[in-house]
Amino acid sequence: MTTAGSAPRTPHGWPLWEVFVRSRRGLSHQHVGSLHAPDGEMALRNARDVYTRRGEGVSLWVVPSAAIVASSPDEQDPFFDPALDKVYRHPTFYEVPEGVEHL
Amino acid sequence: MQVDVDTPPPVEEQQLRFDRMIADEVRIEPRDWMPEGYRRTLIRQIAQHAHSEIIGMQPEGNWITRAPSLRRKAILMAKVQDEAGHGLYLYSAAETLGVDREELLDLLHQGKQKYSSIFNYPTLTWADMGAIGWLVDGAAIMNQVPLCRCSYGPYGRAMVRICKEESFHQRQGFEILHTLSHGTPAQKAMAQDAVDRFWWPSLMMFGPPDSASTHSAQSTAWGIKRFGNDELRQRFVDMTVPQADVLGLRIPDPDLRWDEATGHYAFGAIDWDELDRIIRGDGPCNAQRMERRRTAHEEGAWVRDSADAYARKHAAAATTTSDAA
Ligand SMILES: [Fe+2]
Ligand SMILES: [Fe+2]
């Protein structure tokens, strides 16, 4: 195991960690939940016992919850606006003449 | 016009957006605005559910050392370990609502939050492991499958994981009873006795009749609850009675009969006073379960403290090393 890892403590007890599992090779890690642990090494061991009891994963990440920077749901619309008004980013925006294949 | 993203929209607007999301069956996620009542209801329900999973380890843990074979022992340990896992998924879901797991455990230990009353019945024989798996886990699955579509995202996702794991619980229970009921007459009698004791409490697991249920309407409006208590109870009876025939065991209800007109099994009256007594704390094992839970928590304190001390020591060492570098 190659983790050191420390994280800010919650008011009561151990810090919170977010757990990500790669279910098999070829897929990316996916968030599955969270857990409490005193350090990164214990967080990994606990994550193995809690989230992969039936071979659900081939690789695990644990990340201190406090380290995650998130967009705010309140500014949802303005924040994602730049993506919405650029329809030309989608292939469906373009008209393809009749008979053209493999385009 | 400039939109100031730092000032959240007024509450009425937030409420409208929340209502629209619920109406459109869009999941609510942790950082969304939500009405206080919705948050409180979810915290209460998820916490009670989490507490039930971990208290539920006790009646079965009682039989691990006395399982009749190594195979049964390994299976029972795996099941009890799953229940611990279910508790952890659910505490983790509750924490997304802004409470701390430690707080919830404190409330449980102080008797201020409840757990399912089914776990206040004793497990007197090995056959009870069968009756619990078949009936208690069976009833739990019936209650939990609709919760996978609960409007609150983290709760729904926890339920998906839990439901996947529950089906083995029910099958191993059925298998225990099937083996016993096809064994010696004494073994069959033991299986029947377990079903006799766990049948009615299992029906109570669906909660009071809808006519007497206080939170149901609001929970339904919020997309937390999908079906009424009576409807789920009926489905459970309809599903279970034919399975009892396969087991060769009798359902302890003289009024039980197939009703051609409704297409359902009609069943006898449930003793709701018994449920009330247990909820008030007068069940056969309430005191024992709480005592065991508090003791386990206290006796685990040195493990938590040691892990903590170890983490601090290593964090300090890591800082010193990086300072030196
Ligand atoms: Fe469970
Ligand atoms: Fe279970």
Side-chain angles (χ1 to χ4, degrees):
Chain A
M1 243 173 285
T2 54
T3 44
S6 63
R9 298 167 56 84
T10 55
H12 311 262
W14 297 340
L16 192 64
W17 303 76
E18 299 300 324
V19 181
F20 299 82
V21 176
R22 184 201 295 285
S23 54
R24 56 187 165 83
R25 290 178 175 277
L27 296 180
S28 48
H29 287 74
Q30 239 198 0
H31 184 244
V32 290
S34 60
L35 50 75
H36 289 275
D39 59 28
E41 194 180 324
M42 284 302 290
L44 267 184
R45 285 175 185 280
N46 292 351
R48 179 200 58 192
D49 292 346
V50 178
Y51 291 104
T52 63
R53 282 195 303 286
R54 288 172 174 77
E56 290 93 335
V58 295
S59 163
L60 271 173
W61 288 349
V62 291
V63 178
S65 308
I68 289 178
V69 182
S71 67
S72 157
D74 289 337
E75 52 188 279
Q76 205 176 51
D77 300 337
F79 192 73
F80 293 102
D81 262 357
L84 292 180
D85 63 1
K86 294 177 183 61
V87 279
Y88 43 83
R89 280 175 172 161
H90 298 278
T92 45
F93 176 76
Y94 302 91
E95 235 167 79
V96 177
E98 199 78 33
V100 178
E101 285 178 46
H102 311 299
L103 187 71
Chain B
M1 197 185 72
Q2 268 290 318
V3 179
D4 183 357
V5 291
D6 290 325
T7 336
V11 172
E12 305 79 60
E13 210 174 289
Q14 306 260 44
Q15 177 77 54
L16 277 175
R17 192 165 116 199
F18 175 86
D19 293 344
R20 212 177 319 122
M21 287 168 81
I22 294 286
D24 295 347
E25 302 258 326
V26 175
R27 298 294 180 92
I28 307 298
E29 294 293 344
R31 285 155 52 83
D32 286 323
W33 182 92
M34 59 188 86
E36 260 322 289
Y38 180 79
R39 187 186 297 275
R40 270 202 315 274
T41 299
L42 279 168
I43 292 174
R44 195 193 63 236
Q45 180 172 337
I46 300 173
Q48 179 167 333
H49 196 160
H51 299 331
S52 302
E53 300 283 355
I54 63 164
I55 296 275
M57 295 161 74
Q58 292 187 36
E60 290 176 293
N62 183 33
W63 278 92
I64 289 176
T65 55
R66 292 173 289 166
S69 68
L70 190 55
R71 177 178 181 270
R72 294 287 182 206
K73 184 173 183 164
I75 292 172
L76 188 57
M77 284 203 311
K79 180 186 190 279
V80 171
Q81 192 188 10
D82 272 356
E83 305 302 1
H86 297 175
L88 290 171
Y89 304 153
L90 288 163
Y91 285 121
S92 139
E95 287 193 313
T96 64
L97 292 158
V99 283
D100 201 273
R101 186 177 77 190
E102 291 297 310
E103 275 172 65
L104 298 177
L105 283 174
D106 286 346
L107 290 169
L108 169 66
H109 297 154
Q110 292 158 11
K112 291 180 183 162
Q113 278 181 345
K114 300 203 175 302
Y115 56 88
S116 176
S117 35
I118 190 75
F119 302 118
N120 289 319
Y121 291 91
T123 44
L124 305 175
T125 70
W126 169 252
D128 289 7
M129 300 304 96
I132 287 184
W134 178 46
L135 296 173
V136 175
D137 288 84
I141 293 170
M142 195 59 83
N143 268 329
Q144 289 172 347
V145 168
L147 284 172
C148 295
R149 292 190 296 125
C150 163
S151 61
Y152 187 58
Y155 192 24
R157 293 193 284 275
M159 292 319 306
V160 170
R161 298 185 67 84
I162 290 175
C163 286
K164 268 189 203 156
E165 301 184 355
E166 286 293 351
S167 51
F168 125 67
H169 298 182
Q170 196 187 14
R171 282 194 186 188
Q172 63 87 38
F174 187 86
E175 192 193 68
I176 289 174
L177 289 180
H178 194 265
T179 306
L180 288 173
S181 76
H182 293 79
T184 65
Q187 287 172 327
K188 182 165 186 177
M190 189 202 274
Q192 183 62 57
D193 168 65
V195 171
D196 288 348
R197 281 180 290 110
F198 278 95
W199 173 254
W200 291 105
S202 300
L203 295 193
M204 294 176 199
M205 284 176 69
F206 296 93
D210 294 321
S211 51
S213 178
T214 36
H215 305 295
S216 280
Q218 182 60 74
S219 282
T220 306
W222 275 330
I224 299 172
K225 204 175 161 74
R226 299 276 172 182
F227 301 100
N229 297 350
D230 294 321
E231 185 179 350
L232 291 170
R233 187 166 16 245
Q234 181 68 58
R235 273 195 217 172
F236 176 72
V237 172
D238 290 346
M239 178 190 81
T240 316
V241 173
Q243 294 173 355
D245 286 342
V246 177
L247 288 173
L249 296 172
R250 199 180 56 246
I251 302 282
D253 179 356
D255 297 325
L256 185 76
R257 60 180 175 82
W258 175 252
D259 185 338
E260 201 68 58
T262 59
H264 294 289
Y265 284 95
F267 52 95
I270 295 171
D271 179 4
W272 295 114
D273 291 343
E274 178 177 322
L275 182 65
D276 283 346
R277 267 197 310 280
I278 295 175
I279 290 175
R280 279 201 315 270
D282 291 336
C285 297
N286 295 54
Q288 181 191 334
R289 301 289 185 238
M290 286 300 286
E291 173 57 26
R292 184 79 207 96
R293 172 93 272 285
R294 288 193 200 101
T295 312
H297 191 69
E298 283 158 21
E299 288 177 351
W302 72 270
V303 179
R304 296 191 291 276
D305 291 344
S306 311
D308 227 5
Y310 181 87
R312 279 174 210 276
K313 196 168 133 189
H314 281 259
T319 321
T320 324
T321 326
S322 59
D323 284 351

